Amino acid sequence: MTTTVVPVTRDERGRKGSTEPSARRVALAPYLLILGAVLVLLLGMGYPVVWQIVTSFQKYGALQQLGGKAPDFVWFDNYIAIADNSTFWAVVTRSVVFCLVTAFITIVIGVLLALLMTKVHAVARFVLQIALLLAWAMPVIAAMTVFIWLFDRQRGVVNYLLGLIPGVDMNGFNWIGTTPPLFFAVASIIIVWMSVPFVAFSAYAGLTQVSGEVLEASHLDGAGAVQRFRFIIFPVLKPVIAIVLLLNLIWDLRVFAQITLLQDAGPKSTDYDLLGTYIYKTGVAGLDFGGGAAMSIFVLALTIALSWFYVRNLVKEESR
């Protein structure tokens, strides 16, 4: 048996030799493309975080802010102070409960609106989408002005409509300043109203990936609406719901503007504070920048822990 040796020409050797550098260039291309974004993030976010960490170990007050005295390193004194601060831990508990409840309600209403958009006529769906876009695009200050007027004790629409119910007297009822639960209920309504459009549009985009043939076949097989949602629609929506839920948890944990503006129209006690407003009162209004920075680092660590636990479980479920 004879073996035929096929000669390799110079052009072929050149082509073979050039494949490896070309592959290397292709492999490096994605990293080069994201390098600019990474540098911007490191510059825009890295410096403030490093400044906060350094300041949290310092005694940094009004004199240091005005340049009259250099900040003194007190190391963990600021963290020990907030660990012994019962008011701070009450605010932490209140903030966690608030963000969990508000994020859950937002997800439920957003998914229901997304399902509604798949069932209604095109014209009704268009009107609903425009309304959601307008609610989403409304500036926070404008939205808060409207809601504070709606819940006003004297001229509020809510009190007026409830007062039309026989036997119900809502004249002069103060929604914002009566008790903290009512205050945070109003705040939750406002934040849900502003966050639902994002969840609804995200869930609606996920619903476009659900196979219509599979839904029709399940309907012919006798599956009810709940069964179709549980076994067909929800598995497709699950990654989308996981991401938007995580984002809403982070946003609602750090909410600031809505609570501040509600406090401007009502009580300013710490019983009505969440983490954002309490840190602001401590660090900026109270001129204790070191303590405020320590609280900010705690919130950052809490957010990272929540995100890490949630994303890790999500990746585990996806890999099964």
Side-chain angles (χ1 to χ4, degrees):
M1 180 173 129
T2 60
T3 302
T4 304
V5 178
V6 180
V8 180
T9 64
R10 182 179 301 175
D11 293 340
E12 290 177 343
R13 286 197 299 268
R15 284 196 297 271
K16 289 181 180 179
S18 64
T19 54
E20 185 177 353
S22 177
R24 189 181 298 115
R25 285 195 298 270
V26 173
L28 291 176
Y31 300 99
L32 293 175
L33 290 174
I34 67 173
L35 180 61
V38 172
L39 292 176
V40 171
L41 286 175
L42 289 176
L43 181 63
M45 299 180 62
Y47 173 75
V49 171
V50 171
W51 188 89
Q52 289 279 4
I53 294 174
V54 173
T55 306
S56 68
F57 293 108
Q58 296 176 334
K59 181 180 180 181
Y60 202 111
L63 290 177
Q64 289 78 13
Q65 178 70 11
L66 297 174
K69 183 180 179 181
D72 298 324
F73 276 92
V74 294
W75 300 108
F76 291 98
D77 286 358
N78 291 323
Y79 292 95
I80 295 173
I82 66 173
D84 294 335
N85 189 345
S86 59
T87 303
F88 173 74
W89 291 110
V91 172
V92 170
T93 303
R94 190 184 307 133
S95 300
V96 171
V97 173
F98 179 83
C99 85
L100 290 175
V101 173
T102 304
F104 177 77
I105 296 174
T106 302
I107 295 299
V108 171
I109 297 177
V111 172
L112 290 177
L113 287 175
L115 292 171
L116 178 64
M117 284 190 282
T118 63
K119 299 298 182 182
V120 298
H121 190 269
V123 176
R125 180 168 61 249
F126 177 76
V127 173
L128 178 58
Q129 290 175 345
I130 292 297
L132 290 173
L133 281 174
L134 291 176
W136 197 12
M138 194 171 186
V140 176
I141 302 299
M144 291 303 303
T145 302
V146 172
F147 274 99
I148 290 173
W149 169 71
L150 288 175
F151 287 96
D152 185 78
R153 58 162 60 182
Q154 299 295 336
R155 299 175 297 277
V157 176
V158 175
N159 283 350
Y160 172 76
L161 293 177
L162 292 176
L164 297 178
I165 302 175
V168 177
D169 184 15
M170 299 298 293
N171 184 29
F173 183 78
N174 188 358
W175 288 89
I176 299 176
T178 303
T179 60
L182 276 178
F183 176 90
F184 290 113
V186 174
S188 182
I189 291 172
I190 298 171
I191 294 171
V192 167
W193 180 82
M194 299 180 71
S195 304
V196 156
F198 173 73
V199 177
F201 284 120
S202 300
Y204 180 70
L207 288 173
T208 59
Q209 306 302 315
V210 179
S211 173
E213 291 78 6
V214 175
L215 288 175
E216 184 177 357
S218 64
H219 179 70
L220 294 176
D221 289 339
V226 176
Q227 292 175 315
R228 291 197 299 272
F229 178 81
R230 179 181 177 183
F231 296 105
I232 300 175
I233 297 176
F234 183 74
V236 177
L237 279 183
K238 190 175 181 180
V240 177
I241 293 176
I243 294 300
V244 296
L245 177 59
L246 176 61
L247 292 175
N248 276 275
L249 287 173
I250 295 173
W251 293 337
D252 295 344
L253 184 64
R254 301 182 298 111
V255 66
F256 174 77
Q258 294 88 341
I259 305 300
T260 299
L261 292 171
L262 277 180
Q263 288 180 345
D264 289 342
K268 298 175 177 60
S269 169
T270 54
D271 293 334
Y272 297 83
D273 274 330
L274 293 182
L275 278 170
T277 54
Y278 187 75
I279 293 173
Y280 175 81
K281 289 178 180 179
T282 301
V284 179
L287 297 177
D288 182 10
F289 297 98
M295 295 178 188
S296 300
I297 296 302
F298 173 83
V299 175
L300 177 62
L302 180 63
T303 304
I304 293 175
L306 176 65
S307 304
W308 175 257
F309 175 78
Y310 199 83
V311 172
R312 186 182 63 178
N313 288 342
L314 180 62
V315 170
K316 286 183 178 179
E317 291 182 3
E318 291 294 329
S319 61
R320 290 176 183 173

